[in-house]
Amino acid sequence: RPENWAMVEKEYYYIAGFCLTVSAESIQLVAEHAAANKVVSMNLSAPFICEFFKDRHDVLPYMDSVYGNAVASTISRVHGWETDNVEDIAYISQWTASGAHYSITVITQGADPVVAEDGKVTLCTVIPMPVYRLVDTNGAGDAS
């Protein structure tokens, strides 16, 4: 509908991986539209998204940035990569369909986060927080 498409005319997009469960076609449409000159980011949301909706990973090459918390081993397993090395798995930053923007992947795995930018992997140091200061770890990796 035209009123919905008006939202697509924006410059930046952030798509939650949970959207893959209901409307991968909409994500694909927006991503193809944005590929030439807009920035699209996706958070893979949860390991079950990577596992049960693997057939919808074809939208990932359209993403300029992909974020995932504790999803690396699941992505590796469902794609048959046979590695749990987060640095190897982060190469999804090279899956770019548009080439119009940089491509970055941020994977957080507890205290072992990794960032891949255009295929170059950087491990980031995490400053541990004392356990007594933790209130809720839900979503903690999303802030990386």
Side-chain angles (χ1 to χ4, degrees):
R1 297 188 320 212
E3 61 271 20
N4 292 343
W5 191 255
M7 296 298 293
V8 176
E9 296 299 328
K10 305 294 182 187
E11 187 174 346
Y12 298 95
Y13 307 90
Y14 174 82
I15 302 169
F18 294 115
C19 295
L20 291 173
T21 67
V22 293
S23 190
E25 298 81 15
S26 296
I27 294 171
Q28 186 73 29
L29 193 63
V30 169
E32 288 174 1
H33 168 77
N37 60 2
K38 298 177 182 184
V39 178
V40 185
S41 299
M42 175 175 269
N43 188 323
L44 294 172
S45 301
F48 85 89
I49 298 287
C50 299
E51 183 172 8
F52 297 109
F53 298 94
K54 171 194 167 205
D55 60 323
R56 298 178 184 177
H57 288 178
D58 55 348
V59 301
L60 292 178
Y62 290 93
M63 302 301 140
D64 296 297
S65 55
V66 176
Y67 303 90
N69 183 17
V71 297
S73 61
T74 303
I75 290 171
S76 176
R77 184 173 41 78
V78 301
H79 286 286
W81 298 340
E82 299 181 17
T83 183
D84 283 330
N85 183 326
V86 180
E87 294 175 64
D88 293 337
I89 296 164
Y91 88 89
I92 62 174
S93 72
Q94 295 175 4
W95 291 358
T96 182
S98 70
H101 301 290
Y102 62 91
S103 182
I104 188 167
T105 301
V106 177
I107 298 174
T108 56
Q109 298 272 114
D112 303 317
V114 62
V115 175
E117 188 169 357
D118 290 327
K120 181 178 179 246
V121 175
T122 304
L123 293 174
C124 300
T125 303
V126 175
I127 300 169
M129 179 179 254
V131 175
Y132 73 89
R133 295 203 53 211
L134 296 177
V135 176
D136 183 359
T137 60
N138 192 19
D142 299 341
S144 295

